[in-house]
Amino acid sequence: MAVPYCPIMLAAATLILLAAVTTVHSIGVNYGTLADNLPPPAQVAQFLKEKTIIDRIKIFDANPDILRAFANTGIPVTVTVPNGEIPNLTDVHNARRWIVANIKPFYPQTQIQYILVGNEILHWGPQNLRDDLVAAMRTIFKALKLENVEGIQVSTAHSLAILEPADTPSTTKFRAGWDVGILAPMLEFHRIVKSPFMVNPYPYFGYNEAKANFTLFQPNKGVFDNETKILYNNMFDMQLDSVYISMKKLGFGDVNISVGETGWASQGETFEQPKCSVANAASYNGALVKKYESGSGTPLMPGRKFETYIFALFNENQKPGSIAERNFGLFYPNLSPVYDAGVMRTGANPATNPSIPTQPAAPATNPTPTVAPAVKPTPTVAPATKPTPTVEPTTKPTPTAEPATKPTPTAAPATSGKKWCLPKSDASDAALQANLDYACGQGIDCKPIQPGGACFTPNTVRSHASFAMNSYYQTQGRNDFNCDFSGTGSITTIDPSNGGCTYVS
Ligand SMILES: *[C@@H]1O[C@H](CO)[C@@H](O)[C@H](O)[C@H]1NC(C)=O
Ligand SMILES: *[C@@H]1O[C@H](CO)[C@@H](O)[C@H](O)[C@H]1NC(C)=O
Ligand SMILES: *[C@@H]1O[C@H](CO)[C@@H](O)[C@H](O)[C@H]1NC(C)=O
Ligand SMILES: *[C@@H]1O[C@H](CO)[C@@H](O)[C@H](O)[C@H]1NC(C)=O
């Protein structure tokens, strides 16, 4: 629940009631931690509380340090069950054990708001996780009851790959196969337990130069939906209405929607220009915060407020992939704002809009397709490695053109010409686990990532998958498609080797 900031309205007895209706000045953020230079969680908690209007956070695990740090702050925390745990959590004994180990030690001192069961499971798979998702959500809910934990909701976040490709909201619907098989029972669950259906809309991934203003909340001609007669003036509304219409078509228009992730990178490679700039990130996130506060809703859901989590709190220096991946943050690790997104408390605003640099001119080499449908995932070559949907996820930032054909990134060693394959930053743990299993099953040497091996630490799925995906790429002939991994791999010219851990090249 939001912390009210308006002292006049605070009569102690009605505090809780009022907090529900006076959600002024608030927004959520995703607190990602793929970095080695972030401040301690306690400092982050204090900073958010005292200096910003950010009033809720979402994390991609159940990190005990973060859960401890946010105790008694009044800032609700949303935690995520690791994807790989999903099959186990369909068993209520395991689910209870998970609650006992990860939730009970911290709750209610830390106000845990949602438990999200995995991240973008439908999008990334593998299939057994998709199959078990709804059952795991139900079981976690049941386990909370059995453990007498009250007040925590259960949900899961989806990329917009759950939608069929369409040009307008009225013509879209949920992907056949997932609609009745998975999403209908899931929405039924949401309806019964009154938790929101959570989606991750990213106009960022729908950007092209022709639609720049439409994605950035700036003046534009709009996109007309000739069935509803609605002229959409921004892609965010269009994406949310597409979700809403798809829910309605299945009979679940009454279930709440929340926005688990959305955001914009403030810097990128040459091939990511002119999309990634401070001006664009400030325009998108700034307008998003204002829109959220206004409570205006969307054309089809006027006046509805969608709990929203911006991606991300910090620039994260250890995210693999292009420069943009490491520049989605609202803040630098030293807590200074990257730009004015309107999230500082009054009086604490860093810079005013005039200081925002103007958007650089578009380079002729921009690889973005000229016709990028707002809600339409781009079709891609079917991956050999995984049974993923035939549509490419909307959440996939990397352009189809290879950086190698573009001006060399500044950090690239110009002389070596060496390349490595790494996971994209938005690849889920489930996808990375699948990549890891696949690559190690193809005869590459996975001993270095086993206990005692030079690359065993950090002992994370991402780190182990990075090593295995690169080894696979190198041994299979270093073709770009050897690093595709269903759209979850990307090639870099920066040597990821570190310490005693050598990535082959
Ligand atoms: C699943 O549960 C079993 C037994 O409870 C345990 O041995 C195993 O490690 C669990 N798997 C995961 C991925 O947590
Ligand atoms: C939707 O959200 C509001 C505000 O949080 C809540 O009061 C209501 O019960 C929710 N409705 C459903 C159907 O979940
Ligand atoms: C985009 O928006 C800017 C103002 O933010 C405006 O100056 C420009 O003309 C717009 N471009 C188009 C193509 O509408
Ligand atoms: C709406 O536009 C589509 C093309 O975008 C067209 O095929 C369809 O006939 C139009 N429908 C109406 C009612 O005008």
Side-chain angles (χ1 to χ4, degrees):
M1 187 154 297
V3 180
Y5 297 110
C6 187
I8 296 166
M9 305 185 75
L10 294 188
T14 54
L15 188 148
I16 290 171
L17 254 181
L18 281 172
V21 294
T22 59
T23 41
V24 289
H25 301 313
S26 66
I27 191 91
V29 290
N30 285 272
Y31 179 1
T33 54
L34 291 176
D36 63 4
N37 55 359
L38 299 183
Q43 197 185 339
V44 175
Q46 190 186 7
F47 170 75
L48 294 183
K49 193 174 159 68
E50 290 174 2
K51 299 282 199 268
T52 75
I53 63 167
I54 291 165
D55 72 340
R56 57 199 62 222
I57 63 162
K58 172 170 167 283
I59 57 179
F60 294 98
D61 50 20
N63 182 328
D65 295 334
I66 294 180
L67 287 173
R68 253 189 300 273
F70 280 79
N72 306 310
T73 55
I75 298 178
V77 180
T78 287
V79 302
T80 308
V81 173
N83 296 348
E85 306 257 1
I86 288 173
N88 260 12
L89 294 180
T90 58
D91 176 312
V92 75
H93 301 293
N94 289 332
R96 285 181 78 164
R97 266 199 289 274
W98 195 88
I99 300 292
V100 168
N102 296 281
I103 301 296
K104 283 187 118 175
F106 310 104
Y107 187 81
Q109 316 86 277
T110 300
Q111 197 185 332
I112 297 171
Q113 185 179 8
Y114 301 112
I115 296 174
L116 303 180
V117 180
N119 190 38
E120 300 189 345
I121 294 298
L122 294 191
H123 178 157
W124 300 104
Q127 190 59 38
N128 68 312
L129 296 193
R130 294 190 187 108
D131 293 342
D132 285 343
L133 180 56
V134 178
M137 290 169 74
R138 287 196 191 113
T139 313
I140 284 278
F141 181 80
K142 188 168 167 196
L144 284 167
K145 288 267 174 290
L146 292 170
E147 291 296 331
N148 296 311
V149 178
E150 283 179 16
I152 302 182
Q153 291 192 317
V154 177
S155 189
T156 186
H158 303 280
S159 83
L160 293 197
I162 56 174
L163 302 177
E164 292 279 5
D167 292 323
T168 56
S170 61
T171 52
T172 194
K173 55 181 169 31
F174 288 131
R175 265 176 62 89
W178 295 349
D179 53 357
V180 176
I182 300 175
L183 291 165
M186 185 184 295
L187 286 160
E188 184 70 40
F189 168 80
H190 285 304
R191 175 183 281 160
I192 291 167
V193 305
K194 292 201 183 310
S195 65
F197 185 67
M198 187 177 274
V199 292
N200 297 341
Y202 271 102
Y204 174 85
F205 299 133
Y207 176 98
N208 62 47
E209 284 181 65
K211 286 211 174 126
N213 281 6
F214 187 64
T215 59
L216 289 165
F217 292 110
Q218 283 176 14
N220 65 90
K221 294 196 309 288
V223 172
F224 187 61
D225 187 330
N226 64 3
E227 204 166 302
T228 56
K229 310 291 180 213
I230 290 168
L231 180 66
Y232 284 92
N233 64 17
N234 68 80
M235 195 181 280
F236 180 82
D237 279 352
M238 199 156 116
Q239 292 185 338
L240 280 188
D241 276 356
S242 297
V243 171
Y244 173 67
I245 285 189
S246 303
M247 289 165 69
K248 253 182 109 169
K249 285 178 180 170
L250 274 187
F252 294 94
D254 58 312
V255 171
N256 282 339
I257 296 175
S258 72
V259 173
E261 284 181 38
T262 189
W264 205 280
S266 61
Q267 259 194 74
E269 312 273 356
T270 307
F271 68 85
E272 292 169 312
Q273 299 307 344
K275 176 167 72 167
C276 302
S277 66
V278 162
N280 285 353
S283 171
Y284 181 79
N285 282 328
L288 182 83
V289 170
K290 283 204 191 85
K291 180 180 170 62
Y292 177 79
E293 289 196 349
S294 78
S296 61
T298 68
L300 290 178
M301 297 178 280
R304 255 171 85 169
K305 201 154 186 173
F306 315 101
E307 186 167 57
T308 296
Y309 297 85
I310 293 177
F311 188 88
L313 180 54
F314 291 115
N315 282 343
E316 295 168 63
N317 69 351
Q318 292 190 323
K319 295 184 78 171
S322 73
I323 290 174
E325 299 290 346
R326 293 179 287 283
N327 287 280
F328 270 82
L330 298 175
F331 294 94
Y332 296 107
N334 70 3
L335 299 174
S336 65
V338 179
Y339 49 86
D340 179 7
V343 299
M344 302 307 284
R345 289 204 180 216
T346 316
N349 264 335
T352 44
N353 283 328
S355 70
I356 292 168
T358 50
Q359 189 173 319
T365 51
N366 190 303
T368 316
T370 47
V371 193
V375 294
K376 187 193 288 181
T378 319
T380 189
V381 178
T385 52
K386 272 202 313 157
T388 42
T390 53
V391 287
E392 184 160 350
T394 42
T395 54
K396 205 158 61 86
T398 308
T400 48
E402 278 305 319
T405 62
K406 302 288 162 233
T408 319
T410 43
T415 47
S416 81
K418 288 182 180 171
K419 293 197 276 185
W420 292 265
C421 173
L422 292 176
K424 288 182 183 167
S425 64
D426 62 346
S428 67
D429 278 358
L432 295 180
Q433 185 69 53
N435 295 348
L436 176 61
D437 295 344
Y438 176 78
C440 292
Q442 299 299 306
I444 62 165
D445 180 11
C446 284
K447 281 197 202 68
I449 51 176
Q450 283 157 10
C455 303
F456 177 66
T457 53
N459 179 16
T460 61
V461 172
R462 174 166 292 271
S463 173
H464 290 179
S466 300
F467 181 89
M469 288 164 69
N470 180 62
S471 297
Y472 177 82
Y473 165 73
Q474 305 294 347
T475 55
Q476 297 292 310
R478 297 190 185 86
N479 302 298
D480 289 354
F481 58 80
N482 298 135
C483 184
D484 185 80
F485 291 98
S486 309
T488 63
S490 87
I491 292 167
T492 174
T493 52
I494 303 166
D495 187 354
S497 301
N498 57 77
C501 171
T502 305
Y503 278 59
V504 290
S505 62

